[in-house]
C-alpha cells in the first residue's frame, strides 16, 4: 500500500507541476505584433533643383535599400554644407552633356541626377570618380532593389557630374543635401503605406 501511495503522490505532483507550467505559459504576455511601416509622403515627381555649385570633386556614388525607398548617395568629401547644387528630374531619355549622345538606361522611367560638382580635379583634369560614360556605376549592385533598375554614369562636363538612374516607374522622390553628400530617395510606391 505504501508503494501505491508514493506512486499516487508522484502522479499528483507531476500533474500539478505540468498544470502550473501551462498556466505560466498562458499567462505570459503575448509577443508584440508585427509593426507596419508608415512611409513618408508628399514627395512628388516634379523637378528638384538647388542653384549652387562647388569645385570640390565627386569621389563616390553608392546606393542603399530602405523599407520605403531606394537611395542613391553622391559623396563629395570636403564640400561645404549648403554648397552642393543639383538638378534631379525625370527625362524621356538621358543625353550626355557636351556631346548630346543618348545613353540607354533600363527601367520604366529615367531619373537624371546632375550634381553641381566635377568628377575630376579642376586644376589638373584628373578623374576623381572611376565611372565610365555609358557604363553602370562602379561597385553599385542593384540586385534585390524594389525601385532601382539601372544606374549609369553619363560623365562630368563643365563642373557638373551626370548620372542616369533607371526606376521601375515614375515614382515620387526627394532630394537632400546632408553635409557633403547629395541624397536621392525614390519611393517604392505612391502613398504612405509600404
Amino acid at each position: 500500500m505504501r508503494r501505491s501511495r508514493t506512486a499516487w503522490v508522484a502522479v499528483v505532483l507531476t500533474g500539478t507541476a505540468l498544470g502550473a507550467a501551462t498556466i505560466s505559459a498562458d499567462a505570459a504576455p503575448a509577443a508584440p505584433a508585427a509593426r507596419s511601416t508608415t512611409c513618408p509622403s508628399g514627395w512628388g515627381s516634379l523637378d528638384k533643383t538647388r542653384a549652387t555649385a562647388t569645385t570640390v570633386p565627386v569621389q563616390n556614388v553608392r546606393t542603399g535599400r530602405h523599407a520605403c525607398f531606394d537611395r542613391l548617395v553622391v559623396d563629395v568629401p570636403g564640400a561645404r554644407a549648403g554648397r552642393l547644387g543639383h538638378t534631379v528630374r525625370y527625362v524621356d531619355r538621358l543625353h550626355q552633356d557636351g556631346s548630346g549622345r543618348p545613353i540607354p538606361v533600363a527601367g520604366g522611367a529615367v531619373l537624371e541626377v546632375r550634381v553641381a560638382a566635377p568628377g575630376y580635379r579642376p586644376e589638373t583634369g584628373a578623374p576623381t570618380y572611376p565611372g565610365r560614360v555609358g557604363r553602370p556605376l562602379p561597385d553599385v549592385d542593384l540586385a534585390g532593389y524594389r525601385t532601382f533598375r539601372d544606374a549609369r554614369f553619363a560623365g562630368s562636363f563643365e563642373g557638373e557630374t551626370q548620372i542616369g538612374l533607371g526606376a521601375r516607374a515614375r515614382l515620387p522622390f526627394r532630394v537632400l543635401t546632408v553635409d557633403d553628400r547629395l541624397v536621392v530617395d525614390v519611393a517604392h510606391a505612391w502613398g504612405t503605406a509600404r
Side-chain angles (χ1 to χ4, degrees):
M1 188 79 168
R2 190 163 173 79
R3 275 194 185 160
S4 62
R5 186 181 229 187
T6 305
W8 179 250
V9 170
V11 169
V12 170
L13 289 176
T14 302
T16 304
L18 288 174
T22 303
I23 291 169
S24 298
D26 291 341
R35 293 186 303 211
S36 65
T37 301
T38 302
C39 298
S41 62
W43 293 356
S45 62
L46 298 178
D47 301 1
K48 293 166 179 60
T49 301
R50 182 180 208 169
T52 59
T54 183
T55 57
V56 177
V58 170
Q59 297 288 324
N60 189 34
V61 181
R62 54 197 163 92
T63 59
R65 294 182 293 176
H66 295 265
C68 300
F69 52 86
D70 291 348
R71 173 172 280 180
L72 174 86
V73 178
V74 181
D75 293 311
V76 188
R80 289 193 342 237
R83 298 294 303 162
L84 199 50
H86 60 270
T87 299
V88 182
R89 64 189 181 135
Y90 280 105
V91 294
D92 293 330
R93 192 165 192 182
L94 182 67
H95 293 275
Q96 180 187 19
D97 277 349
S99 72
R101 183 183 108 191
I103 297 175
V105 181
V110 177
L111 198 59
E112 178 185 43
V113 178
R114 291 175 176 267
V115 183
Y120 53 85
R121 296 205 179 286
E123 59 279 358
T124 64
T128 57
Y129 179 67
R132 294 179 51 206
V133 173
R135 306 283 304 186
L137 298 179
D139 300 320
V140 170
D141 180 7
L142 299 178
Y145 281 68
R146 288 184 57 190
T147 297
F148 291 170
R149 296 294 182 259
D150 196 8
R152 301 277 168 165
F153 186 64
S156 192
F157 181 72
E158 294 185 349
E160 284 197 350
T161 300
Q162 184 184 20
I163 296 163
L165 187 59
R168 178 174 46 81
R170 189 181 175 120
L171 294 162
F173 67 95
R174 70 177 171 185
V175 180
L176 309 166
T177 53
V178 181
D179 299 326
D180 54 3
R181 298 181 301 278
L182 179 75
V183 177
V184 179
D185 294 332
V186 183
H188 293 159
W190 285 93
T192 59
R194 184 159 57 124

